[in-house]
Amino acid sequence: MSTTQTPSAFTLGDRAVQRLGYGAMQLAGPGVFGPPKDREAALAVLREAVASGVDHIDTSDFYGPHITNQIIREALAPYAKDLVIVTKIGARRSDTGGWLPAFSPEELAQAVHDNLRNLGLDVLDVVNLRIMFDVHGPVEGSIEAPLAALAELQRQGLVRHIGLSNVTPAQVAEGRRICRIACVQNQYNLVHRNDDALIDDLARDGIPYVPFFPLGGFTPLQSSGLSDVAQRLGATPMQVALAWLLRRSPNILLIPGTSSVGHLRENLAAGKLALPADAVEALDRVAAPVAE
Ligand SMILES: NC(=O)c1ccc[n+]([C@@H]2O[C@H](COP(=O)([O-])OP(=O)(O)OC[C@H]3O[C@@H](n4cnc5c(N)ncnc54)[C@H](OP(=O)(O)O)[C@@H]3O)[C@@H](O)[C@H]2O)c1
């Protein structure tokens, strides 16, 4: 059986991290709003992640809002030296949980300070500027003004590395003319592959690409092609979806989200799942056609 091994680490900012990390968004209440129904369970997921070798956690102060970061701090502070916490700014929540843009220099500075306070940090490792021209996906438009404001916060020593989220390739190029971009975080998974070319471009330049919704997001992926491959390999569909991403490109760093220790363990075990060439071919056929 022919298999392909995938590298287990990649450099994010100035540190090598395991390619299988953890996304903390699922730890807040329903709709990523308010407290979780079981706070102890949320603390347990984070502690299990780090105990299992996860050294890259993705979060935002607008998850909850504030609550997810406070849970991370309670579970994990003082933080292990090798833990990289990546957060994102550029949005805020309405009173009813809606997602609103928050792009002015004042709002961005406030967001950085909220993250620092709620995570209990003096400096944020990586801050992604989450572009909100459309909350649901990337839309063209200059990102110069908010990115320059974030770069100023970096100059003040509050932020080590800057990333971009929900961006087009043109916005990534614009961003790279303004400051060093440490990572790009966009929606991408087995059936949502609009960023194929961008991933390859970033890989050539050693820049990590961090897919959000790697398992399909709020409605996890369902596909008979995926289930067939999983059954053949004695794995779960979610493990196969993650293994496919790990194999897709060495610069892909994964942050699957879960509120369950069982799912966390299942997801982390995907790092050991080698996909035979015929499984990769079958999975490549699962992709939805890219919109014209
Ligand atoms: N930059 C952005 O705009 C943006 C947007 C969205 C998310 N993110 C980041 O990306 C991370 C990942 O995205 P996500 O959490 O929304 O979506 P995801 O990782 O694609 O999927 C999470 C969903 O899959 C379920 N799940 C997880 N593991 C499973 C397993 N082994 N078997 C069955 N179901 C499983 C989770 O439910 P359970 O809780 O029941 O396991 C949850 O419903 C987030 O945590 C967040 O940090 C960023």
Side-chain angles (χ1 to χ4, degrees):
M1 187 163 76
S2 95
T3 58
T4 304
Q5 291 300 321
T6 58
S8 66
F10 195 80
T11 300
L12 173 59
D14 50 18
R15 282 192 271 174
V17 294
Q18 292 300 308
R19 294 181 63 213
L20 254 167
Y22 171 70
M25 190 175 87
Q26 304 295 336
L27 296 182
V32 200
F33 198 55
K37 65 176 187 304
D38 186 344
R39 190 179 174 94
E40 288 307 313
L43 294 167
V45 169
L46 287 160
R47 290 179 180 137
E48 175 76 15
V50 168
S52 306
V54 166
D55 56 9
H56 167 204
I57 292 179
D58 187 80
T59 185
S60 174
D61 209 63
F62 52 68
Y63 296 162
H66 313 305
I67 291 165
T68 299
N69 279 350
Q70 290 164 356
I71 291 174
I72 290 173
R73 180 182 187 169
E74 182 179 339
L76 302 179
Y79 300 108
K81 276 201 183 62
D82 66 349
L83 179 65
V84 177
I85 299 180
V86 178
T87 189
K88 63 189 78 68
I89 63 174
R92 67 182 174 85
R93 308 302 292 277
S94 73
D95 293 344
T96 52
W99 303 81
L100 305 171
F103 266 121
S104 70
E106 295 75 22
E107 287 170 311
L108 295 174
Q110 180 67 49
V112 163
H113 285 286
D114 287 346
N115 276 283
L116 288 169
R117 185 181 66 258
N118 287 312
L119 287 167
L121 291 167
D122 297 325
V123 189
L124 298 171
D125 289 323
V126 184
V127 175
N128 285 323
L129 180 66
R130 209 293 183 182
I131 300 302
M132 293 283 292
F133 297 152
D134 180 342
V135 68
H136 298 296
V139 168
E140 295 296 358
S142 175
I143 60 170
E144 182 177 0
L147 189 55
L150 179 52
E152 175 54 30
L153 296 165
Q154 184 183 41
R155 272 190 289 278
Q156 290 170 20
L158 302 174
V159 172
R160 278 197 191 93
H161 301 284
I162 291 175
L164 294 173
S165 179
N166 199 39
V167 280
T168 67
Q171 287 164 337
V172 173
E174 183 189 25
R176 294 181 68 187
R177 290 192 292 273
I178 295 168
C179 64
R180 180 176 172 237
I181 297 301
C183 52
V184 173
Q185 184 176 117
N186 275 3
Q187 183 177 357
Y188 184 85
N189 58 44
L190 188 58
V191 301
H192 187 104
R193 302 194 198 173
N194 293 353
D195 273 351
D196 271 327
L198 177 62
I199 290 169
D200 295 338
D201 287 347
L202 294 173
R204 273 191 291 277
D205 292 341
I207 298 176
Y209 179 91
V210 187
F212 74 76
F213 294 164
L215 301 174
F218 294 101
T219 310
L221 298 169
Q222 288 182 8
S223 137
S224 55
L226 175 61
S227 298
D228 290 348
V229 170
Q231 196 174 17
R232 203 148 48 84
L233 298 179
T236 69
M238 296 300 110
Q239 287 176 322
V240 172
L242 293 173
W244 180 83
L245 284 166
L246 286 174
R247 193 186 178 286
R248 168 63 185 78
S249 185
N251 63 328
I252 289 188
L253 297 178
L254 296 184
I255 50 164
T258 180
S259 55
S260 124
V261 168
H263 284 168
L264 174 78
R265 289 188 183 134
E266 183 183 320
N267 296 344
L268 293 178
K272 296 199 169 57
L273 180 66
L275 298 177
D278 59 346
V280 175
E281 279 165 29
L283 293 169
D284 280 335
R285 287 194 293 271
V286 169
V290 175
E292 292 290 310

